[in-house]
Amino acid sequence: MLEVLNPATEEVVERLEPATEGDADAAVARAREAYPAWRALEPADRSRLLRRLADALDAEHENLARLESKNTGKPIGDSRGEMGMVAETFHYYAGMPERLLGDTIPVSGGVDVTFREPLGVVGLIVPWNFPLTIASWKMAPALAAGNTLVLKPAELTPLTALEFERIALEAGMPEGVVNVVVGPGSKVGKRLVEHPDVAKVAFTGSTEVGKGIMAEAAGTIKRVTLELGGKSANVVFADADLEKAAASAPVAVFGNAGQDCCARSRILVERGVFDEFLSLMEPAVTGMRVGDPFDEGTEMGPLISADHRERVASYVPEDAPVAIRGQAPEGSGFWYPPVVLAPVDNKDRAAAEEIFGPVVAVIPFEDEDDAVRLANDTIYGLSGSIWTENGARALRVARRIETGVISINSNTSVRVATPFGGMKQSGVGRELGPHALDLYTEVKNVYLSTEED
Ligand code: NAD
């Protein structure tokens, strides 16, 4: 039996029978059966159904937010924001079926036109840190493009995915278009990756598992998109609005208790303002409200599991250079306080590896070239921020940092209408915005001769 816990209390909130490989096969078969009719639907009708689903998600907003907080421990305010984004993602892609345009290409002897065609059944495998949000980034464009899907949520956080399946059916989505299977990644997830009737796998998770998925997908030349780990840099120049940068830095890494692929978990600070920056950051760290996810004032919840807490703690050994340590509750729940390590060398384990918890490494740099060198000295390339009042420098550095997403004088990375994804070992492909549709369609080229007989 799969026991689903509330990480803030360690109580069991649900017991589920885990799916098997046979259940995965059955879900793929249902999706395959539903595919021809879903694909053939008039674009305006597909649009209408997706809009109804988006409206239903709006109506279930509070229910979904509470469920997500109960299952992940994230503060209720954060869950409300996330569930707002889930509905918004469906509203956005509901407008897309009629906008899947092709090209008309002038060629000799006739005309050449292209069509954007769906792939078929897609397998979507998602992690536990933003369970329904990340699933929606995959489901909405996949469905808009005419694919049917099998979604496998993380075993630790399946509840909102199961609720979504119910909402989708009640909103009028045809049987078999959306299928959710809850089971272990090593069996059920693996089966989706190997399955010959699954045309594509879209995966979000760790770089290690992503590498295995890429290798396994080769067996069927399956399309893959991968959203993997990160170790993003928050680069603070001496000419920045330091107060603003220092107030934002803790939010940028301790949000979702640091369990965020976009976490700015390396803060690079120009040496001349290093100590001043740490002093400015201190009140935002020590004052961070860590506790009950259902208390409206809570800013940070617990970690997802006891195992994960142990892993995070291994990055803060006895002799770690702890510059600032925040508060965390005692007793039941997988609590861990926000921790700032400074100064850290970029080669140290805490600066090189993705911790995925509320631990940040602060690293000094000498000048612009040094900042870029340090920011790029990582296997990852997902996100990041640059703080400076010099606009030309901001853009120059943004162009030089090897990352899929970067913000200037801001710590936000994700918007429904803009592409999101990683360079280097942070992944392959882009989600969100119009770009995501490219990853759920194939281009078909049709040539029509206009020659006379
Ligand atoms: P994980 O890689 O352990 O698991 C992710 C999903 O893959 C789960 O559903 C799991 O059951 C499944 N899985 C595990 N083994 C599998 C296999 N062999 N075949 C198929 N599926 C398998 O990741 P996690 O611990 O759930 O999530 C944390 C990781 O996710 C972090 O590294 C984080 O950076 C990353 N992440 C990346 C993004 C992004 O957009 N780049 C977003 C969120 C999280």
Side-chain angles (χ1 to χ4, degrees), residues 339-352:
V339 171
V340 178
L341 303 176
V344 176
D345 187 286
N346 199 51
K347 297 277 181 227
D348 290 351
R349 187 170 163 251

Side-chain angles (χ1 to χ4, degrees), residues 125-130 134 137 152-155 183-191 193 203-210 213 216 226-230 259-262 354 356 382 420-422 426 431:
I125 303 176
V126 298
W128 45 258
N129 57 337
F130 297 106
I134 287 174
W137 299 355
K152 197 208 85 62
E155 303 91 294
S186 55
K187 291 192 177 141
V188 173
K190 188 165 182 287
R191 184 74 190 132
V193 179
F203 169 81
T204 297
S206 59
T207 296
E208 273 326 293
V209 174
I213 286 180
E216 277 165 14
L226 304 172
E227 295 286 356
L228 309 174
Q259 303 166 126
D260 182 347
C261 54
C262 290
E354 184 182 46
F356 222 56
L382 186 56
F420 172 75
S426 285
E431 302 201 297

Side-chain angles (χ1 to χ4, degrees), residues 48-65:
R48 211 166 287 124
L49 278 169
L50 289 172
R51 211 160 268 130
R52 270 172 62 181
L53 173 53
D55 289 342
L57 291 166
D58 278 331
E60 298 264 8
H61 178 258
E62 186 65 15
N63 162 34
L64 287 168

Side-chain angles (χ1 to χ4, degrees), residues 310 332 351:
E310 205 171 304
S332 338

